[in-house]
Amino acid sequence: MATQTLNRATLGTSTSPAVRQPHRKMSAGKVAAVIVAAVIAVLWLVPFAWATVTAFKSETDAASPKINWIPPSGFTADAFVKVFQDGNIPLWTWNSLYTSAAITAVTLVISSLVAYALSRIDFKGRKVLMTVIIASIIVPPPVLIIPLFYQMLALHMIDTSWAIILPQVIHPAMVFVLKKFFDQIPRELEEAAVMDGASRMRIFTQIILPLSRPILAAVAIFVFIGAWNNFLWPFIATNDPSLLTLPVGLQTIKSAYGIQYAQNMASALLAALPLILVFLFFQRQIIKGVATTGLAGT
Amino acid sequence: MSSSLTARRSPGSRVSSPAARGSRDSVTRNNLSGWGFAAPFLAFFLVFLVWPIVYGIYMSLTGKSLTGANDSLIGFANYAEAFVDADMWRSLGNTLYFTVISTVPLVLVALVMAALLNVGLPAQWLWRLSYFAPYLLASTVVSLFFTWMYNPQLGLINDALSKIGIPKIAWLNDPNVAMWAIVIATLWWTVGFNFLLYLAAMQNIPAQHYEAASLDGAGAWRQLFSITLPQLVPTTVMIVLLQVLASLKIFDQVYQMTAGGPGGSTRPVVQYIFETGFTGYRLGYSAAISYIFFGLIVLVSAIQFVITRRRSA
């Protein structure tokens, strides 16, 4: 039921469905659409299904050249048990979780503060600052890996969580998204508070932020998914196995397990699980978040 | 107080009300609080974005290496070397090739997916989940899935193809096929993002347009081609440009699935930057290639800017 609002919107019509399908012909078209959509959906679900089946096989069955959706010697959770005993997946999940949470929290705080200033305060240099921040959207992160690595080396941060977190908190596009949202909040709402002599910080925390929950959630989701899945920078910033994030850790497992197909798939599924669960619970917010922040640039 | 608020309302005309005029205090206060609110972001921005950009340019002009060799300035020698470096050109070529052949399906399939759902299928959440879920996976997970499915002997894909009489394909080991294998994996992984952008754009098309069309007797196909698609042109331009910029940055899935092989046939420029810096230890040279790549991105962004400007003008 949580998806109902969006469902209606997704149909592209806010009025009764009858308006959209006045002709009987439509239903034939609809059947065709369902069939095509289903074929695509099956193609899109096959990798998940095949990985799951493989993960529940014995290594012998998994390595069999005959494709078996139902393994001859039955399903087993051996691969999961082995991966879990190995202990790395839970540790790396935790590393991913707290670094992504930290990145998201810091991003939200510093971006909303600067966005508020750009939206509401008429200070000298405001336009220049805005231009510089917007211009910086085009800087592709891979360009910075060499100087950032060297900088982290100089700061003695390589192989610490700081190296993973700090450079990932700058999201100029998200500043822009927040500023645009703040711009739309009517000034009248603040005026009473100003009369009462409220400070800027008070207005920001008591009036602006509570009104901005949807956009803050959208930005948080976008930043969190990005941080959770980032590979290149954490891969460069850490070598210490106890600090690896999930994506980087998995890369090492792949070479370590070699041809242990069931274990490979079991670790991949365990790594995929947290975000899939989060998605199932917050589907509507995630979809809205991606749609509202997505076009602002990645 | 309220007058200074009014003044803030219209940046650029600081003295929009008599009370604020000449109120130096409030101007100073604004400057202080403005920069105060900007300060935390600015600190990170300067240290972890601006400084690396500037320092990277300096590095690209030195012979700096991870082994601590030559730190001194060598002018544009790195750039001169890069321009005659066949490996650099090849990696740039691979990047552009991937960008061209990946952008088309990543936009078209997303459009088809969104158009299908826009018809008003039952169980919307199920379709959205299946199309979008892969986007939530880390590149490593995607690479593990597809390396397994592409396995020449045990893989699901070759098995399915053999059933319709297509001989085994060495997906990730054939230089002629490997890049396409990566495109297919990338399509599966990221098309859901473009799909959501299209879906959001479609739901913004006013319902009255469809109502009017139905009254005129336009069927679903007619409505798709006469209303939906024309209204999606600006969104399509945006999605194509965002996709091009995203595809140019390709690294993760290539590195994880083929490590750039076979024979360098899939190695993108970001991997070349990574390798010259961290396995070849030539930080200065690597920085120079980074800035050549940056130049390419700026060029594409400039084209985007011109196109979107022209569209909105």
Side-chain angles (χ1 to χ4, degrees):
Chain A
M1 270 299 125
T3 55
Q4 195 160 18
T5 326
L6 195 81
N7 283 353
R8 196 177 302 128
T10 313
L11 300 179
T13 167
S14 53
T15 50
S16 72
V19 179
R20 280 298 307 280
Q21 17 175 302
H23 306 293
R24 298 232 153 193
K25 270 189 245 157
M26 272 287 291
S27 58
K30 221 170 199 176
V31 170
V34 171
I35 292 169
V36 180
V39 169
I40 300 178
V42 167
L43 285 175
W44 252 248
L45 291 173
V46 159
F48 284 109
W50 184 235
T52 311
V53 168
T54 306
F56 283 103
K57 284 178 179 177
S58 64
E59 289 295 349
T60 326
D61 280 351
S64 152
K66 197 169 178 328
I67 298 295
N68 283 308
W69 284 91
I70 295 163
S73 42
F75 290 104
T76 163
D78 278 1
F80 287 95
V81 173
K82 288 220 178 80
V83 167
F84 237 87
Q85 278 170 350
D86 191 43
N88 279 321
I89 297 275
L91 174 68
W92 294 334
T93 306
W94 168 246
N95 289 343
S96 275
L97 193 67
Y98 85 79
T99 51
S100 306
I103 289 164
T104 308
V106 177
T107 303
L108 277 184
V109 171
I110 65 177
S111 306
S112 58
L113 281 169
V114 68
Y116 174 74
L118 292 171
S119 167
R120 284 299 211 269
I121 307 174
D122 181 27
F123 60 101
K124 202 165 183 235
R126 194 188 72 100
K127 276 195 175 144
V128 176
L129 184 60
M130 189 69 202
T131 310
V132 170
I133 291 176
I134 287 183
S136 70
I137 291 175
I138 69 164
V139 179
V143 165
L144 298 180
I145 56 173
I146 297 292
L148 257 183
F149 175 80
Y150 202 74
Q151 183 184 17
M152 288 297 165
L153 218 51
L155 293 170
H156 300 288
M157 281 185 183
I158 288 296
D159 264 338
T160 69
S161 300
W162 295 111
I164 299 176
I165 296 166
L166 295 177
Q168 289 194 70
V169 302
I170 313 145
H171 289 271
M174 296 302 114
V175 172
F176 184 63
V177 165
L178 288 166
K179 185 215 173 250
K180 270 176 69 181
F181 188 91
F182 294 162
D183 282 346
Q184 292 168 353
I185 299 175
R187 320 247 152 184
E188 290 72 28
L189 291 170
E190 293 164 80
E191 273 166 13
V194 172
M195 296 284 213
D196 293 343
S199 69
R200 286 237 173 250
M201 192 47 97
R202 216 183 139 80
I203 293 172
F204 174 66
T205 54
Q206 314 264 308
I207 298 173
I208 302 290
L209 287 187
L211 287 170
S212 308
R213 266 189 214 135
I215 197 72
L216 292 171
V219 169
I221 285 162
F222 200 81
V223 172
F224 188 89
I225 296 175
W228 180 276
N229 288 337
N230 193 1
F231 175 77
L232 181 56
W233 176 246
F235 177 55
I236 289 166
T238 45
N239 285 310
D240 183 342
S242 68
L243 286 173
L244 300 184
T245 58
L246 206 41
V248 183
L250 270 188
Q251 171 69 11
T252 68
I253 263 190
K254 197 163 104 185
S255 23
Y257 287 174
I259 52 165
Q260 311 241 261
Y261 302 114
Q263 281 193 46
N264 271 335
M265 289 307 116
S267 5
L269 285 176
L270 285 174
L273 205 60
L275 269 200
I276 298 290
L277 285 180
V278 168
F279 183 71
L280 288 175
F281 283 113
F282 299 105
Q283 201 192 153
R284 200 159 63 99
Q285 288 85 341
I286 289 177
I287 286 175
K288 265 171 108 180
V290 168
T292 39
T293 53
L295 275 176
T298 39
Chain B
M1 269 308 249
S2 78
S3 59
S4 65
L5 192 71
T6 319
R8 276 171 229 130
R9 186 181 301 183
S10 47
S13 62
R14 201 172 286 138
V15 283
S16 60
S17 82
R21 188 173 299 146
S23 167
R24 257 195 204 184
D25 273 6
S26 83
V27 170
T28 316
R29 208 164 43 233
N30 277 348
N31 288 342
L32 274 179
S33 59
W35 288 104
F37 273 84
F41 179 86
L42 213 52
F44 283 98
F45 186 75
L46 290 174
V47 175
F48 297 109
L49 192 83
V50 177
W51 174 249
I53 292 174
V54 174
Y55 194 71
I57 294 173
Y58 166 77
M59 285 176 95
S60 74
L61 304 173
T62 70
K64 219 178 247 308
S65 98
L66 262 185
T67 51
N70 189 3
D71 256 19
S72 58
L73 282 168
I74 54 168
F76 289 94
N78 286 328
Y79 290 92
E81 184 184 340
F83 272 97
V84 292
D85 179 351
D87 283 338
M88 198 234 20
W89 285 111
R90 183 143 186 244
S91 65
L92 262 181
N94 287 338
T95 300
L96 290 174
Y97 180 59
F98 171 81
T99 303
V100 171
I101 66 174
S102 67
T103 298
V104 176
L106 275 163
V107 174
L108 282 183
V109 174
L111 178 61
V112 170
M113 286 173 162
L116 286 169
L117 292 214
N118 202 39
V119 171
L121 302 188
Q124 290 271 334
W125 67 272
L126 186 65
W127 310 108
R128 282 201 314 257
L129 177 68
S130 22
Y131 299 167
F132 181 70
Y135 181 75
L136 297 166
L137 304 180
S139 58
T140 336
V141 175
V142 175
S143 303
L144 279 167
F145 280 8
F146 274 83
T147 309
W148 175 224
M149 293 206 307
Y150 282 141
N151 186 305
Q153 308 333 319
L154 316 175
L156 194 61
I157 298 181
N158 274 353
D159 183 71
L161 291 180
S162 74
K163 292 206 169 99
I164 50 171
I166 296 174
K168 282 192 183 347
I169 297 171
W171 288 96
L172 298 171
N173 296 315
D174 180 343
N176 298 314
V177 181
M179 194 62 105
W180 286 96
I182 286 168
V183 168
I184 293 169
T186 309
L187 176 70
W188 180 82
W189 178 29
T190 60
V191 75
F193 183 76
N194 292 346
F195 152 72
L196 280 190
L197 296 184
Y198 265 129
L199 204 56
M202 284 180 186
Q203 75 189 36
N204 279 337
I205 299 175
Q208 296 94 300
H209 293 203
Y210 293 104
E211 286 158 20
S214 323
L215 289 179
D216 292 344
W221 281 104
R222 189 62 206 271
Q223 291 186 11
L224 176 68
F225 284 103
S226 306
I227 302 172
T228 315
L229 292 182
Q231 297 254 18
L232 289 178
V233 171
T235 314
T236 304
V237 171
M238 280 300 292
I239 291 178
V240 167
L241 293 164
L242 282 176
Q243 185 58 55
V244 166
L245 287 173
S247 285
L248 286 172
K249 294 178 210 155
I250 174 130
F251 169 75
D252 295 15
Q253 62 272 50
V254 175
Y255 186 78
Q256 293 155 3
M257 290 170 71
T258 66
S265 61
T266 56
R267 178 168 64 183
V269 68
V270 173
Q271 188 181 337
Y272 194 57
I273 292 171
F274 172 79
E275 284 174 358
T276 40
F278 295 109
T279 49
Y281 301 125
R282 299 188 61 197
L283 292 180
Y285 186 52
S286 181
I289 300 165
S290 304
Y291 282 88
I292 293 170
F293 171 58
F294 194 5
L296 180 70
I297 298 267
V298 170
L299 186 71
V300 173
S301 306
I303 295 170
Q304 154 175 9
F305 184 75
V306 170
I307 293 175
T308 44
R309 254 288 176 79
R310 190 171 297 162
R311 286 207 56 83
S312 57

